[in-house]
Amino acid sequence: MANGWSIIIGLVFVVLASLVAWYFAPKGENQTVWRSSLVLTFASCYIMWAITFLAQWHPLIVPKRHDLRPEHVA
């Protein structure tokens, strides 16, 4: 199952992908646009994934079941 290393491993993959995108961006007048677009895309996807992962891993509000009878509630 998921553990705390998932965030670190995901960050390592994003950093590696960003470095690859940085060095292998097409040469030319739009190289800066390519580099910044790819790095920002990787960073944005990682942040969105990390927020979703952490929200499910440590929820702020614990779900409560309302369909239980009072005598079965702990």
Side-chain angles (χ1 to χ4, degrees):
M1 202 64 193
N3 57 22
W5 287 103
S6 299
I7 298 291
I8 305 299
I9 293 169
L11 181 62
V12 168
F13 280 128
V14 167
V15 168
L16 290 175
S18 296
L19 288 173
V20 168
W22 183 269
Y23 286 111
F24 291 109
K27 307 292 187 248
E29 62 184 31
N30 291 330
Q31 184 178 21
T32 306
V33 175
W34 272 99
R35 283 179 172 176
S36 57
S37 296
L38 291 171
V39 171
L40 284 173
T41 300
F42 292 138
S44 299
C45 287
Y46 172 74
I47 290 171
M48 189 64 187
W49 171 80
I51 290 171
T52 306
F53 177 80
L54 290 173
Q56 293 177 10
W57 194 29
H58 294 295
L60 295 177
I61 301 171
V62 178
K64 295 180 182 176
R65 292 184 58 180
H66 296 290
D67 61 336
L68 294 177
R69 290 177 285 178
E71 61 268 8
H72 294 288
V73 177

